[in-house]
Amino acid sequence: MARPAARDEGRHQPGPERLWNESYYFDWFQPDGSLGGYVRVGFLPAQQVVWYWACLVGPDRSLVTVVEHDVPLPASASSLELRGPGLWADHVIDEPLDRLTLSLESFGLVVDDPADMYRSPRGEIVPFGFELEWTTDRAAYLWPPVTPRYEIPCMVSGEVLLGGERIAIDGFGQRDHSWGAARDWWSMSWCWSAGRFDDGSRWHTAGGFFPDNSWGVGYELPAVGDAFEEFDSVVISERLGREGLVERATIEVGPHRLDVEPIAWSPVLLVSEDGRESRFPRALCRVQDAAGRSGLGWIEFNQPPV
């Protein structure tokens, strides 16, 4: 099986499309599911902006979120350091495909009801930052050649700062990197997930792209070894709640069935240049499979306008 190239950890030469996108995601969660978060760094070179999202979530705490869609591009075409009003973030590739460090100094919005992110969210503004390290859990996974993309299951450690609170992190997560295509959030739905079972095995799925086709991308990395078991069939079923937030979901990936319960949401509203709105709910989730294994991870749904 082909593996990602170390050189692809950095930024890539952009195409001319208005929606050409290069995207880095970083998810994490504590082993008991009490806390989690994610970061997305989305480069839109044709629009001269970066979309930056970061959050802190937990089943028993309010959402803390940073959503900025007009962060200036870095001064250098190879840099991953971002600076904007009230925001500094850096993403340092310490050892390509093995170790990466994220830093953030910003102000986060505390939101009691995550669905308010689809309207005009209001809440307390608090200092929010972190220093977190993603260390690869055994192997990195290169997607099939439908789009340039790789996924890396990780261990995550470091510290989150929230107001006067200092939180030690020692958990698990996932990071991914994709580039080379126009990402039209307003025309295609999808469901992505990744996480870790309690026995140490890891999973990833991406599907729901086409209403009449089960094609997707998925893997399981067993608890021992570094060989991914790959799947090309992903079927998603979901039960929608208020504001389109998913109450329960089932993911059938190859021979496996995953039952997913979102437990803490961090949604984002995406408004196109012509005014169309797509909802992008992302959640920390609990997962159980048909064999009785339980685990934690993250799940996302892109919900374009009907």
Side-chain angles (χ1 to χ4, degrees), residues 109 111-122 242-245 267-269 271 277 279:
L109 179 67
V111 182
D112 289 334
D113 183 355
D116 285 347
M117 295 302 297
Y118 293 146
R119 296 180 282 272
S120 297
R122 298 176 182 274
R242 65 186 187 89
E243 302 286 356
L245 298 179
V268 178
L269 180 67
V271 182
E277 294 184 351
R279 292 184 170 190

Side-chain angles (χ1 to χ4, degrees), residues 86-165:
L87 183 148
W88 171 81
D90 202 4
H91 315 82
V92 178
I93 302 164
D94 302 298
E95 299 176 47
L97 302 177
D98 285 325
R99 190 164 59 87
L100 185 147
T101 303
L102 264 63
S103 304
L104 174 67
E105 296 176 7
S106 71
F107 293 94
L109 179 67
V110 181
V111 182
D112 289 334
D113 183 355
D116 285 347
M117 295 302 297
Y118 293 146
R119 296 180 282 272
S120 297
R122 298 176 182 274
E124 181 185 2
I125 301 293
V126 296
F128 175 46
F130 48 72
E131 187 85 15
L132 294 171
E133 182 178 88
W134 271 255
T135 303
T136 297
D137 182 2
R138 291 170 285 154
Y141 175 79
L142 182 67
W143 260 41
V146 291
T147 188
R149 182 188 185 107
Y150 56 86
E151 300 268 346
I152 305 181
C154 295
M155 287 83 73
V156 184
S157 61
E159 193 171 63
V160 172
L161 304 176
L162 180 64
E165 193 176 6

Side-chain angles (χ1 to χ4, degrees), residues 228-281:
F228 293 94
E229 182 183 6
E230 298 183 273
F231 310 105
D232 61 6
S233 174
V234 178
V235 177
I236 314 292
S237 58
E238 63 211 40
R239 186 176 74 206
L240 296 180
R242 65 186 187 89
E243 302 286 356
L245 298 179
V246 174
E247 294 178 344
R248 305 284 301 196
T250 299
I251 303 173
E252 296 176 59
V253 51
H256 303 288
R257 175 189 172 99
L258 309 180
D259 293 315
V260 183
E261 178 191 7
I263 57 175
W265 286 102
S266 180
V268 178
L269 180 67
L270 304 171
V271 182
S272 71
E273 292 179 300
D274 60 11
R276 289 172 297 152
E277 294 184 351
S278 184
R279 292 184 170 190
F280 188 64

Side-chain angles (χ1 to χ4, degrees), residues 180-229:
R183 182 169 299 183
D184 189 341
W185 304 81
W186 303 277
S187 67
M188 177 179 284
S189 61
W190 68 75
C191 174
W192 172 100
S193 77
R196 178 184 184 272
F197 288 111
D198 292 341
D199 67 358
S201 56
R202 312 294 296 246
W203 87 84
H204 157 62
T205 68
F209 302 107
F210 312 105
D212 57 351
N213 191 316
S214 66
W215 179 85
V217 176
Y219 69 64
E220 178 171 344
L221 179 63
V224 177
D226 60 1
F228 293 94
E229 182 183 6

Side-chain angles (χ1 to χ4, degrees), residues 276-299:
R276 289 172 297 152
E277 294 184 351
S278 184
R279 292 184 170 190
F280 188 64
R282 233 171 177 265
L284 177 65
C285 60
R286 297 190 187 279
V287 177
Q288 188 164 31
D289 75 352
R293 295 181 300 177
S294 59
L296 293 161
W298 277 85
I299 191 168

